[in-house]
Amino acid sequence: MVLALVFIVGSSWFYAETARAEYGDVIINNASDEAGMRPAVFPHWFHRIRFRCKVCHADLEFKFKAGGNQINMLKIIDGEFCGACHNGEIAWSVENCDVCHSGKPGTPTQVHGSTVQKLLGLPGKKK
Ligand code: HEC
Ligand code: HEC
Ligand code: HEC
């Protein structure tokens, strides 16, 4: 009984977290501010409707955690993380700095609600 409850609470937490990440934008700012770049913005929903979770979270080894990956430009240019697609073939290439580095300076790493999220009335991170 207790175990079942733990499972239910645990899994609804998981789904709530998953939904938040799925529809929100991930702001990645582990290094950008320090390097004088605007934080990187990863629109999760935009990508998620184009690719399966597995492509990024298994094949490309993105950890399920905002800011939980050691991403830098050398790796991206080398074809890791964002660079697996943003290489001028699958998607536009790394020269378009501002398309990714579009966050408001000083915004910490986080998932925040996107326009899509507001339109659909989906649960988001309360701030
Ligand atoms: C496809 C998306 C994307 C594009 C395009 C992109 N970046 Fe980045 N960049 C990132 C991500 C994600 C990070 C990690 C952000 C963090 O942790 O703060 C990052 C980190 C950085 C960093 C800090 C880490 C490091 O490698 O020194 C700098 C500086 C940077 N980018 C500069 C640039 C410049 C200059 C361009 C254009 C020539 C560019 N970026 C284009 C996604 C991108
Ligand atoms: C195109 C690549 C891509 C696809 C497809 C994708 N994700 Fe993600 N996901 C990411 C990236 C990038 C992050 C942020 C990682 C970081 O900040 O280092 C992320 C973060 C997450 C997080 C953590 C958010 C948080 O709160 O910290 C969850 C959960 C997640 N994704 C679930 C999913 C699920 C479920 C699917 C499929 C329905 C999916 N993702 C599809 C790239 C992707
Ligand atoms: C699995 C492939 C894949 C990965 C990995 C990926 N992207 Fe993308 N991304 C795409 C494609 C495809 C597009 C759409 C390109 C187009 O419209 O020409 C796109 C578009 C975008 C856009 C523009 C969204 C818009 O509204 O037009 C941003 C911003 C972006 N990516 C950031 C990132 C960042 C940051 C990362 C790494 C954290 C990343 N992407 C990783 C495939 C990917």
Side-chain angles (χ1 to χ4, degrees), residues 62-76:
F62 274 107
K63 295 201 176 72
F64 286 106
K65 188 174 189 314
N69 297 276
Q70 305 289 319
I71 308 174
N72 63 42
M73 290 315 294
L74 275 180
K75 292 182 187 170
I76 291 179

Side-chain angles (χ1 to χ4, degrees), residues 27-42 62 67 69-77 81-83 85-86 92-101 109:
I27 315 276
I28 310 174
N29 192 2
N30 291 332
S32 299
D33 262 354
E34 266 173 65
M37 288 298 289
R38 285 164 163 259
V41 177
F42 176 74
F62 274 107
N69 297 276
Q70 305 289 319
I71 308 174
N72 63 42
M73 290 315 294
L74 275 180
K75 292 182 187 170
I76 291 179
I77 291 161
F81 298 116
C82 321
C85 299
H86 289 280
W92 39 265
S93 76
V94 283
E95 288 114 68
N96 304 287
C97 317
D98 299 345
V99 188
C100 290
H101 291 280
T109 297

Side-chain angles (χ1 to χ4, degrees), residues 13-22 25-30 40 42-57 60 62-71 81-82 85-86 109-111 125:
W13 174 84
F14 176 78
Y15 289 121
E17 285 297 297
T18 304
R20 178 154 74 74
E22 272 194 67
D25 289 343
V26 182
I27 315 276
I28 310 174
N29 192 2
N30 291 332
F42 176 74
H44 202 274
W45 176 251
F46 179 97
H47 287 84
R48 183 248 171 278
I49 55 176
R50 288 169 171 76
F51 303 93
R52 289 176 183 280
C53 318
K54 183 181 165 291
V55 172
C56 293
H57 290 293
L60 299 178
F62 274 107
K63 295 201 176 72
F64 286 106
K65 188 174 189 314
N69 297 276
Q70 305 289 319
I71 308 174
F81 298 116
C82 321
C85 299
H86 289 280
T109 297
Q110 62 177 284
V111 183
K125 186 174 192 176

Side-chain angles (χ1 to χ4, degrees), residues 99-119:
V99 188
C100 290
H101 291 280
S102 67
K104 209 170 139 237
T107 314
T109 297
Q110 62 177 284
V111 183
H112 86 84
S114 70
T115 2
V116 178
Q117 185 172 34
K118 275 179 216 134
L119 285 174

